[in-house]
């Protein structure tokens, strides 16, 4: 395996020191919401109302474990089943959040942000109640200023659509260039670019690192602990 494409602590700090607020993705940087393929059940439950409505789901959507992709399909091809599919997705995410592990270093990162005076808002394609429950469960809710989750039954507004970024900027009374997005998906980086926000990609492996860099991430971190350390350098500076 080639080495993971990552930035040095100094490079991470350089991106963060030009910003005041952090827009933080949830599934990946904070939680592992569907560990090792456990997304099958929620994807099936999201498909059920669509199939009940008599809509044929083609491959690869018929067998994907990505329930959010199924929701996007419902919005386009089965609008009559969209609300039920969304309800199934929300319920499944809430259930998964009860047992999902915290990403190593995530708590550390949130504490470091608090100590450095960086405000953090969660921006996620998952449902806000699932995120809220997870943060409460792990004693992290106080370290997050707000949670913006997937707008109910409006999957077109998920990242990379920048709508949630503009909402976050209003909540923070902040300009785009004062914010930095941290996320583990290409869509997070695209979302940041659409909104004029800097971005740090969290890449657990070399392939993801290459994808996030190619999407235009300003820096890449291999762990949330490294990013926490970069924030602490800010605190000292
Ligand atoms: Mg993610």
């Amino acid at each position: 395996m080639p080495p993971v494409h990552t930035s040095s602590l100094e490079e991470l700090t350089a991106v963060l020191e030009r910003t005041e607020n952090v827009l933080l993705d949830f599934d990946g940087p904070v939680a592992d919401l569907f560990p090792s393929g456990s997304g099958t059940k929620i994807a099936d439950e999201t498909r059920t109302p669509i199939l009940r409505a008599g809509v044929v789901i083609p491959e690869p959507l018929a067998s994907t474990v990505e329930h959010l992709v199924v929701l996007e399909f419902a919005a386009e091809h089965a609008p009559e089943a969209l609300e039920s599919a969304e309800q199934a997705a929300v319920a499944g995410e809430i259930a998964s959040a009860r047992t999902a592990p915290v990403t190593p270093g995530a708590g550390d990162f949130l504490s470091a942000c608090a100590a450095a005076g960086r405000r953090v808002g969660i921006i996620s394609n998952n449902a806000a109640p699932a995120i809220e429950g997870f943060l409460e469960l792990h004693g992290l809710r106080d370290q997050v200023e707000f949670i913006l989750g997937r707008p109910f039954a409006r999957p077109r507004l998920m990242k990379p659509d920048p709508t949630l970024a503009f909402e976050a900027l209003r909540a923070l009374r902040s300009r785009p260039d004062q914010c930095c997005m941290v996320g583990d998906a290409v869509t997070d980086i695209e979302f940041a670019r659409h909104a004029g926000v800097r971005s740090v990609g969290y890449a657990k492996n070399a392939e993801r690192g290459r994808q996030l860099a190619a999407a235009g991430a300003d820096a890449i971190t291999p762990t949330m602990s490294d990013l926490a350390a970069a924030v602490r350098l800010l605190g000292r500076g």
Side-chain angles (χ1 to χ4, degrees):
M1 279 284 281
V4 177
H5 176 107
T6 53
S7 309
S8 65
L9 275 191
E10 290 71 24
E11 287 168 330
L12 290 170
T13 303
V15 173
L16 294 164
E17 75 186 353
R18 287 182 285 168
T19 60
E20 293 169 13
N21 307 305
V22 175
L23 310 182
L24 182 61
D25 175 37
F26 176 67
D27 188 13
V30 180
D32 186 2
L33 194 52
F34 302 105
S36 57
S38 62
T40 306
K41 185 166 178 281
I42 185 172
D44 283 341
E45 287 164 356
T46 306
R47 272 184 286 264
T48 299
I50 303 171
L51 295 170
R52 279 211 190 107
V55 175
V56 175
I57 305 177
E59 287 295 348
L61 293 167
S63 56
T64 183
V65 299
E66 302 284 340
H67 70 290
L68 297 179
V69 182
V70 177
L71 270 189
E72 286 174 331
F73 173 85
E76 199 164 339
H77 301 285
E80 69 278 26
L82 177 58
E83 282 210 9
S84 301
E86 176 72 83
Q87 275 159 2
V90 172
E93 288 176 14
I94 290 172
S96 294
R98 286 195 197 109
T99 55
V102 179
T103 300
D108 198 14
F109 174 70
L110 290 172
S111 317
C113 285
R118 258 58 181 178
R119 295 188 293 162
V120 179
I122 301 265
I123 301 199
S124 172
N125 284 349
N126 297 121
I131 299 164
E132 186 96 41
F134 179 89
L135 295 175
E136 293 279 1
L137 184 63
H138 297 283
L140 300 172
R141 181 63 188 89
D142 291 349
Q143 308 206 44
V144 168
E145 192 153 314
F146 59 82
I147 298 166
L148 290 178
R150 176 179 71 250
F152 189 88
R154 298 173 75 193
R156 288 189 191 90
L157 297 184
M158 292 194 296
K159 297 175 284 185
D161 184 283
T163 300
L164 291 181
F166 300 133
E167 208 170 306
L169 293 173
R170 276 196 297 277
L172 291 163
R173 298 175 192 274
S174 182
R175 297 193 315 266
D177 64 354
Q178 296 172 312
C179 296
C180 180
M181 176 77 201
V182 176
D184 68 336
V186 165
T187 47
D188 291 312
I189 309 304
E190 292 170 345
F191 168 82
R193 289 182 59 199
H194 290 160
V197 168
R198 290 187 179 85
S199 61
V200 172
Y202 163 50
K204 280 194 293 188
N205 56 52
E207 178 59 22
R208 185 59 66 93
R210 278 190 290 273
Q211 292 167 350
L212 299 179
D218 294 288
I220 304 285
T221 186
T223 69
M224 291 307 288
S225 303
D226 283 356
L227 201 54
V231 174
R232 280 205 207 84
L233 289 179
L234 287 173
R236 285 209 299 268

mmCIF file of all heavy atoms in Angstrom, residues 25-31 123-126 159 182-185 187-188 202 208, ligand 1:
data_model
loop_
_atom_site.group_PDB
_atom_site.id
_atom_site.type_symbol
_atom_site.label_atom_id
_atom_site.label_comp_id
_atom_site.label_asym_id
_atom_site.label_seq_id
_atom_site.Cartn_x
_atom_site.Cartn_y
_atom_site.Cartn_z
ATOM 1 N N ASP A 25 -18.677 17.379 9.934
ATOM 2 C CA ASP A 25 -19.481 16.244 9.490
ATOM 3 C C ASP A 25 -19.649 15.294 10.688
ATOM 4 O O ASP A 25 -18.865 15.339 11.644
ATOM 5 C CB ASP A 25 -18.730 15.573 8.327
ATOM 6 C CG ASP A 25 -19.387 14.302 7.847
ATOM 7 O OD1 ASP A 25 -20.633 14.244 7.819
ATOM 8 O OD2 ASP A 25 -18.650 13.371 7.481
ATOM 9 N N PHE A 26 -20.664 14.427 10.646
ATOM 10 C CA PHE A 26 -20.923 13.535 11.786
ATOM 11 C C PHE A 26 -20.420 12.105 11.549
ATOM 12 O O PHE A 26 -19.517 11.632 12.233
ATOM 13 C CB PHE A 26 -22.424 13.541 12.094
ATOM 14 C CG PHE A 26 -22.821 12.585 13.174
ATOM 15 C CD1 PHE A 26 -22.413 12.789 14.489
ATOM 16 C CD2 PHE A 26 -23.596 11.469 12.887
ATOM 17 C CE1 PHE A 26 -22.770 11.890 15.493
ATOM 18 C CE2 PHE A 26 -23.957 10.575 13.879
ATOM 19 C CZ PHE A 26 -23.543 10.792 15.182
ATOM 20 N N ASP A 27 -21.011 11.434 10.562
ATOM 21 C CA ASP A 27 -20.659 10.026 10.324
ATOM 22 C C ASP A 27 -19.264 9.965 9.713
ATOM 23 O O ASP A 27 -19.058 10.353 8.577
ATOM 24 C CB ASP A 27 -21.695 9.380 9.389
ATOM 25 C CG ASP A 27 -21.501 7.878 9.272
ATOM 26 O OD1 ASP A 27 -20.745 7.305 10.081
ATOM 27 O OD2 ASP A 27 -22.106 7.279 8.367
ATOM 28 N N GLY A 28 -18.322 9.515 10.475
ATOM 29 C CA GLY A 28 -16.912 9.508 10.055
ATOM 30 C C GLY A 28 -16.076 10.233 11.096
ATOM 31 O O GLY A 28 -15.467 9.607 11.962
ATOM 32 N N PRO A 29 -16.090 11.560 11.083
ATOM 33 C CA PRO A 29 -15.241 12.293 12.030
ATOM 34 C C PRO A 29 -15.691 12.209 13.493
ATOM 35 O O PRO A 29 -14.888 12.394 14.392
ATOM 36 C CB PRO A 29 -15.339 13.753 11.549
ATOM 37 C CG PRO A 29 -15.874 13.692 10.177
ATOM 38 C CD PRO A 29 -16.698 12.446 10.084
ATOM 39 N N VAL A 30 -16.975 11.941 13.732
ATOM 40 C CA VAL A 30 -17.477 11.914 15.112
ATOM 41 C C VAL A 30 -17.920 10.503 15.521
ATOM 42 O O VAL A 30 -17.676 10.060 16.637
ATOM 43 C CB VAL A 30 -18.657 12.908 15.292
ATOM 44 C CG1 VAL A 30 -19.184 12.872 16.723
ATOM 45 C CG2 VAL A 30 -18.216 14.327 14.922
ATOM 46 N N ALA A 31 -18.579 9.813 14.619
ATOM 47 C CA ALA A 31 -19.116 8.482 14.925
ATOM 48 C C ALA A 31 -18.899 7.547 13.742
ATOM 49 O O ALA A 31 -18.752 7.989 12.607
ATOM 50 C CB ALA A 31 -20.614 8.584 15.195
ATOM 51 N N ILE A 123 -22.751 19.511 10.685
ATOM 52 C CA ILE A 123 -23.533 19.541 9.445
ATOM 53 C C ILE A 123 -23.464 18.158 8.844
ATOM 54 O O ILE A 123 -22.397 17.684 8.452
ATOM 55 C CB ILE A 123 -22.973 20.557 8.439
ATOM 56 C CG1 ILE A 123 -22.970 21.943 9.064
ATOM 57 C CG2 ILE A 123 -23.808 20.528 7.170
ATOM 58 C CD1 ILE A 123 -22.868 23.056 8.065
ATOM 59 N N SER A 124 -24.615 17.509 8.794
ATOM 60 C CA SER A 124 -24.614 16.091 8.441
ATOM 61 C C SER A 124 -25.751 15.740 7.492
ATOM 62 O O SER A 124 -26.795 16.385 7.493
ATOM 63 C CB SER A 124 -24.781 15.273 9.725
ATOM 64 O OG SER A 124 -24.958 13.910 9.431
ATOM 65 N N ASN A 125 -25.532 14.693 6.711
ATOM 66 C CA ASN A 125 -26.608 14.146 5.892
ATOM 67 C C ASN A 125 -27.434 13.129 6.676
ATOM 68 O O ASN A 125 -28.358 12.529 6.142
ATOM 69 C CB ASN A 125 -26.048 13.504 4.616
ATOM 70 C CG ASN A 125 -25.650 14.556 3.588
ATOM 71 O OD1 ASN A 125 -25.986 15.738 3.747
ATOM 72 N ND2 ASN A 125 -24.943 14.141 2.550
ATOM 73 N N ASN A 126 -27.090 12.938 7.949
ATOM 74 C CA ASN A 126 -27.909 12.090 8.807
ATOM 75 C C ASN A 126 -28.921 12.974 9.546
ATOM 76 O O ASN A 126 -28.814 14.192 9.534
ATOM 77 C CB ASN A 126 -27.033 11.327 9.804
ATOM 78 C CG ASN A 126 -26.085 10.375 9.096
ATOM 79 O OD1 ASN A 126 -24.878 10.475 9.228
ATOM 80 N ND2 ASN A 126 -26.625 9.476 8.304
ATOM 81 N N LYS A 159 -25.706 17.504 1.561
ATOM 82 C CA LYS A 159 -24.410 17.829 0.983
ATOM 83 C C LYS A 159 -24.194 16.927 -0.239
ATOM 84 O O LYS A 159 -24.572 15.760 -0.177
ATOM 85 C CB LYS A 159 -23.298 17.553 2.008
ATOM 86 C CG LYS A 159 -23.371 18.406 3.262
ATOM 87 C CD LYS A 159 -22.330 17.990 4.281
ATOM 88 C CE LYS A 159 -22.689 16.718 5.000
ATOM 89 N NZ LYS A 159 -21.752 16.354 6.073
ATOM 90 N N VAL A 182 -14.881 20.045 8.174
ATOM 91 C CA VAL A 182 -14.102 18.819 8.388
ATOM 92 C C VAL A 182 -15.017 17.645 8.053
ATOM 93 O O VAL A 182 -16.079 17.487 8.668
ATOM 94 C CB VAL A 182 -13.625 18.707 9.854
ATOM 95 C CG1 VAL A 182 -12.909 17.373 10.074
ATOM 96 C CG2 VAL A 182 -12.713 19.877 10.219
ATOM 97 N N GLY A 183 -14.631 16.850 7.066
ATOM 98 C CA GLY A 183 -15.484 15.727 6.676
ATOM 99 C C GLY A 183 -14.690 14.621 6.021
ATOM 100 O O GLY A 183 -13.541 14.827 5.622
ATOM 101 N N ASP A 184 -15.324 13.449 5.899
ATOM 102 C CA ASP A 184 -14.605 12.285 5.368
ATOM 103 C C ASP A 184 -15.082 11.875 3.972
ATOM 104 O O ASP A 184 -14.645 10.851 3.455
ATOM 105 C CB ASP A 184 -14.743 11.099 6.325
ATOM 106 C CG ASP A 184 -16.157 10.550 6.390
ATOM 107 O OD1 ASP A 184 -17.112 11.301 6.082
ATOM 108 O OD2 ASP A 184 -16.319 9.371 6.745
ATOM 109 N N ALA A 185 -15.979 12.661 3.373
ATOM 110 C CA ALA A 185 -16.511 12.278 2.062
ATOM 111 C C ALA A 185 -16.182 13.348 1.019
ATOM 112 O O ALA A 185 -16.040 14.533 1.352
ATOM 113 C CB ALA A 185 -18.028 12.104 2.140
ATOM 114 N N THR A 187 -18.208 14.491 -0.959
ATOM 115 C CA THR A 187 -19.316 15.452 -0.942
ATOM 116 C C THR A 187 -19.114 16.552 0.108
ATOM 117 O O THR A 187 -19.576 17.677 -0.076
ATOM 118 C CB THR A 187 -20.663 14.747 -0.671
ATOM 119 O OG1 THR A 187 -20.499 13.854 0.424
ATOM 120 C CG2 THR A 187 -21.145 13.982 -1.883
ATOM 121 N N ASP A 188 -18.404 16.235 1.200
ATOM 122 C CA ASP A 188 -18.113 17.273 2.206
ATOM 123 C C ASP A 188 -17.194 18.344 1.616
ATOM 124 O O ASP A 188 -17.359 19.538 1.876
ATOM 125 C CB ASP A 188 -17.423 16.670 3.438
ATOM 126 C CG ASP A 188 -18.346 15.770 4.237
ATOM 127 O OD1 ASP A 188 -19.473 16.194 4.520
ATOM 128 O OD2 ASP A 188 -17.931 14.650 4.574
ATOM 129 N N TYR A 202 -10.899 14.178 6.387
ATOM 130 C CA TYR A 202 -10.498 13.124 7.329
ATOM 131 C C TYR A 202 -10.482 11.826 6.530
ATOM 132 O O TYR A 202 -11.531 11.332 6.104
ATOM 133 C CB TYR A 202 -11.484 13.074 8.492
ATOM 134 C CG TYR A 202 -11.433 11.801 9.307
ATOM 135 C CD1 TYR A 202 -10.229 11.295 9.788
ATOM 136 C CD2 TYR A 202 -12.594 11.106 9.607
ATOM 137 C CE1 TYR A 202 -10.183 10.123 10.524
ATOM 138 C CE2 TYR A 202 -12.575 9.941 10.357
ATOM 139 C CZ TYR A 202 -11.365 9.453 10.798
ATOM 140 O OH TYR A 202 -11.336 8.301 11.522
ATOM 141 N N ARG A 208 -8.952 7.071 0.176
ATOM 142 C CA ARG A 208 -9.824 8.189 0.529
ATOM 143 C C ARG A 208 -9.032 9.502 0.551
ATOM 144 O O ARG A 208 -9.528 10.548 0.127
ATOM 145 C CB ARG A 208 -10.480 7.927 1.901
ATOM 146 C CG ARG A 208 -11.513 8.968 2.331
ATOM 147 C CD ARG A 208 -12.668 9.099 1.345
ATOM 148 N NE ARG A 208 -13.473 7.898 1.276
ATOM 149 C CZ ARG A 208 -14.564 7.674 2.002
ATOM 150 N NH1 ARG A 208 -14.999 8.575 2.844
ATOM 151 N NH2 ARG A 208 -15.225 6.545 1.868
HETATM 152 MG MG1 LIG B 1 -19.131 11.443 6.706
#
